[in-house]
Amino acid sequence: MRSITFSIALRYSRTKAYSAFTRFIQRFALGGIAVGVMALIVVMSVMNGFEGELKQRILGGVPHIQVQGEQVHSELTTLLEQRASDEIQSISPYVSTEALIQVPGNLAVVTLQGFNTGDSKSQSIPPALQRALIAGQWSSLAAGDYNIILGQTLANQLNLAIGDRVRIVSSKGAVYSPLGMLPSQRTFRLVGVFAMQSDLDKHLAVANIDDVARLIRNPKASKTHVQVQLQDAFNAPKIASFIRSNSTLIVTDWRQRYGQLFDAVSMEKRMMWLMLALIIAVAAFNTLSALAMVIDDKRHDIAILQTIGLTQAQVRRVFLIQGCYIGTVGTLLGTLFGVLIAIFINPILQALGSHFVVGLGQQLPVQFEWQQVLFIAATALILTLVAAFYPAAKAAQTEPSEALRYD
């Protein structure tokens, strides 16, 4: 059986007996909460999608952690056995160097990565990079053939086609001669092109690990350098720190190169959250105005209820419940419409003829984090409840003798 306070609060929330302006303020407060929650869910889902796309298209093509040292394979394998098995995707040999790629009349700076390109069991090329191949085959990168695969943007910039030869020059492995320092260099043949649709297409080149080791004149590099691929690249700093603190191995992770980019994206997400949360806060505190006007309309009713036995605590609860009613309905509507709009945002944009995403598959990326959606809804409810405290307390202080003096 419902309590008397709940029944009165529900009746006050649904009644149309208020003045037209009071009803407008109530609906405005409810609508403001709904719009704020909806906007925050849609925007944060799209921001999560953009972050996910960056994570896949950039971090999916590079080693998450690079480790260097003597006996690195056995030492690292033993060390990582202490971590949860679902954190680590693979551990494999890896060699990398900054190099200059040269063709007649043009040149560019590249990061040359050497992977094991043998059979599927021993292949160490990151899965996202494997899937991004649009011309050629990874198996063409056989040891000793000095073949190379370039990013699409880089290949177009150098005006290269499959089968063309390029010169790779690296300062690693340079030797001194009477003429001065001579960098290490080799001629490679282009056998494939990949398209990660990110900055990697401009400066990444991939070759066989043994060919890269010979280029830098360090044939044992594959035995002293390994890469660690993780299930979640964002765990790399934590795991890299664990390896450093428990060994003498030299450890670097993807944040050394791409950390600033993802820090900027994270800061943008936090600022968007703050700005849109302020919309919810303003709408929630409109509840204060709405309840204050309801209380002014119902002063006589409050006084009569007090004379027949309703306590101050019960009066306070009536209007707290009414404030919660506004917040709950607004939050539920905002969550429902926010989730629906986020799911169907691309068809909606197409119907409106809007094109916001050029170069991202022509669709806006959306990624839900349900914990985030629940947190947004809970925040809106808490803010509404806080805003309802003051007018509810004022209603409880109504003096029946004053309110009914002239009646």
Side-chain angles (χ1 to χ4, degrees):
M1 190 172 178
R2 289 190 306 196
S3 67
I4 184 69
T5 53
F6 187 81
S7 299
I8 296 171
L10 202 60
R11 182 180 179 85
Y12 280 0
S13 299
R14 293 175 175 177
T15 186
K16 296 182 180 179
Y18 305 128
S19 67
F21 188 66
T22 301
R23 290 200 304 273
F24 169 76
I25 292 295
Q26 267 195 303
R27 290 168 184 169
F28 185 80
L30 189 149
I33 293 169
V35 169
V37 170
M38 178 187 71
L40 194 49
I41 289 173
V42 172
V43 171
M44 294 310 295
S45 298
V46 172
M47 291 296 294
N48 291 338
F50 273 118
E51 188 176 56
E53 287 290 320
L54 284 175
K55 187 177 176 182
Q56 179 184 352
R57 297 182 185 199
I58 294 180
L59 303 185
V62 298
H64 298 158
I65 301 175
Q66 300 177 48
V67 188
Q68 179 182 350
E70 297 296 331
Q71 305 298 323
V72 64
H73 288 272
S74 57
E75 188 175 350
L76 186 62
T77 302
T78 303
L79 196 60
L80 291 180
E81 284 177 354
Q82 302 174 34
R83 306 290 304 188
S85 58
D86 59 349
E87 287 183 324
I88 312 300
Q89 188 178 69
S90 65
I91 303 172
S92 54
Y94 168 81
V95 179
S96 175
T97 180
E98 297 299 316
L100 198 67
I101 183 169
Q102 187 177 16
V103 297
N106 208 345
L107 53 84
V109 177
V110 297
T111 299
L112 179 61
Q113 295 185 348
F115 294 107
N116 190 332
T117 57
D119 55 38
S120 58
K121 291 183 179 179
S122 60
Q123 195 175 81
S124 61
I125 301 169
L129 191 57
Q130 290 184 43
R131 294 190 296 269
L133 193 68
I134 59 173
Q137 294 181 339
W138 290 111
S139 58
S140 301
L141 300 178
D145 288 348
Y146 290 99
N147 292 332
I148 195 170
I149 293 178
L150 302 178
Q152 185 179 36
T153 306
L154 180 60
N156 291 339
Q157 177 187 330
L158 299 176
N159 198 25
L160 294 172
I162 301 296
D164 288 349
R165 294 191 174 274
V166 298
R167 183 175 296 277
I168 303 294
V169 182
S170 173
S171 60
K172 276 188 180 180
V175 295
Y176 289 92
S177 73
L179 299 176
M181 189 179 74
L182 294 178
S184 176
Q185 54 185 306
R186 287 272 185 173
T187 299
F188 284 72
R189 184 168 64 93
L190 180 64
V191 294
V193 174
F194 62 83
M196 292 290 288
Q197 296 184 341
S198 69
D199 193 55
L200 293 183
D201 294 342
K202 299 177 183 178
H203 61 73
L204 183 62
V206 180
N208 184 276
I209 188 170
D210 293 330
D211 293 346
V212 177
R214 291 191 192 99
L215 172 69
I216 62 175
R217 294 191 175 97
N218 185 6
K220 295 183 179 180
S222 61
K223 297 178 180 175
T224 58
H225 296 70
V226 300
Q227 63 162 343
V228 180
Q229 293 296 116
L230 307 176
Q231 297 293 350
D232 185 355
F234 286 172
N235 289 333
K238 178 177 64 177
I239 296 176
S241 177
F242 171 77
I243 297 171
R244 286 191 199 98
S245 60
N246 291 277
S247 72
T248 57
L249 299 171
I250 301 171
V251 185
T252 57
D253 62 72
W254 62 264
R255 289 192 62 82
Q256 265 74 35
R257 182 157 194 163
Y258 300 106
Q260 290 184 340
L261 171 63
F262 283 89
D263 285 344
V265 172
S266 179
M267 181 181 293
E268 188 174 358
K269 278 180 67 177
R270 288 195 295 270
M271 293 307 298
M272 292 296 291
W273 164 270
L274 178 61
M275 288 188 291
L276 292 171
L278 288 174
I279 296 176
I280 297 178
V282 170
F285 280 92
N286 278 341
T287 307
L288 189 151
S289 302
L291 287 181
M293 297 187 72
V294 167
I295 291 164
D296 190 58
D297 274 2
K298 295 292 183 181
R299 285 183 75 249
H300 291 76
D301 291 6
I302 295 168
I304 292 169
L305 288 170
Q306 286 180 318
T307 58
I308 62 175
L310 212 64
T311 65
Q312 286 190 341
Q314 288 176 313
V315 172
R316 185 164 50 247
R317 260 198 311 274
V318 165
F319 291 99
L320 280 175
I321 292 170
Q322 189 174 357
C324 286
Y325 176 86
I326 294 171
T328 301
V329 173
T331 300
L332 288 175
L333 288 174
T335 302
L336 176 64
F337 284 109
V339 170
L340 288 175
I341 289 173
I343 291 172
F344 297 106
I345 191 166
N346 287 302
I348 291 171
L349 291 176
Q350 289 174 5
L352 295 174
S354 300
H355 303 283
F356 289 116
V357 242
V358 177
L360 282 175
Q362 306 306 318
Q363 285 202 331
L364 211 58
V366 176
Q367 180 180 323
F368 282 110
E369 291 184 9
W370 293 106
Q371 287 182 339
Q372 194 177 67
V373 172
L374 291 174
F375 181 74
I376 292 169
T379 301
L381 288 172
I382 291 169
L383 286 174
T384 307
L385 182 62
V386 170
F389 263 107
Y390 178 75
K394 294 296 287 184
Q397 294 171 8
T398 301
E399 291 290 341
S401 58
E402 288 293 326
L404 300 173
R405 175 179 292 179
Y406 302 106
D407 290 352

